Amino acid sequence: MTILGGRFVAFFDTIASTNTNPVRLALGATTEAWDMATTSWTYAVDTINDQRPWTEAGGGVVTPLGEAIWDPSLGDTAVFVLDSVQLAEWSDTTDLSIGARIDIIDPGHRLALNAALIRLDARPSSNPDTIIELTALTSGSTFIYSPFPEPPPDGVRIGGAPSWRTILDLQIPSVIDDVPELCAVVSCPHSLSPGEISYAALVLTSRTTELAFQPTDSIRLDVRPVLDRAVMPKSPLGVSLIANPFGRSVSPEAFGGSSGLEIEIPFTGYARDRLRGKDASGDPTPGTLALLSVIEPFSITFASFEGPSSAG
């Protein structure tokens, strides 16, 4: 069988991608060995026993293979034409440098790649007058970027890739005083008992996420007790405080044009146990909560909220 040529086809998520107009893309063949699970903007391989930086940050030096235009109004695919020489170079399955890098030529956009494959035009040796099309799937993909967003000194961040978690130390007051609404109906100071807590919730106020990392789809939040504060960040987490197994859904607008929304996460049972000091099984109730994304990592986008020391 003779390979005549082919096409590299990239499939993009039209909802998660930020562009509404056509964007120009460039395809290049990687020339250095890299590890899909650990590669980053700086490192081609970043494992415990092997850390190799790219010779050039951002994926190393690539061999240009061509350009394509992706117009989301016409579909979800961008197609790069490949010649038989390049396809022959990619046929060596023992070569760990084999790979392709897609770059955005037009700045100011973020594209979400769903999948990629190669379509081959081939002529069978048994029937040389016929050209058939074969499909070769990719083994996987990853996303590298720079600069990495620095954590805010006064805010809460959840999600992203690598995924951010926020840790909160929480105290439930056993004695309440100087609360006019309460002191108007009971004598103050008032000793609070677990049974008197009829409702408790964590209230988060959304803030605008940096433009490059603003969500384009709903963010699903989770809240779990930290079982051993002393060994953070490696502490195991307890059962979710959110009843919905898919977490608390927050619309992407909360971190853009509609920032300042209050997101309420009920945790009445936890508050009662925290005040009591133990749960129904008699185990101590942790005083630290982890705020995280239900799926980690889901995308490079993340949720931003005001922190305890925020001006807002």
Side-chain angles (χ1 to χ4, degrees), residues 117-174:
L117 54 81
I118 297 175
R119 300 197 191 280
L120 305 170
D121 296 327
R123 176 180 289 123
S125 55
S126 59
N127 191 359
D129 294 331
T130 301
I131 296 178
I132 62 175
E133 183 178 86
L134 305 175
T135 298
L137 302 178
T138 56
S139 59
S141 64
T142 189
F143 184 90
I144 59 176
Y145 61 93
S146 180
F148 189 75
E150 293 297 324
D154 61 347
V156 170
R157 180 177 290 175
I158 303 170
S163 194
W164 296 88
R165 294 180 177 182
T166 294
I167 305 302
L168 297 178
D169 291 323
L170 190 67
Q171 292 288 343
I172 305 296
S174 59

Side-chain angles (χ1 to χ4, degrees), residues 212-231:
F213 302 95
Q214 279 187 10
T216 53
D217 199 355
S218 295
I219 295 288
R220 295 192 174 274
L221 307 180
D222 197 3
V223 180
R224 294 175 179 265
V226 175
L227 300 183
D228 191 347
R229 181 72 164 82
V231 298

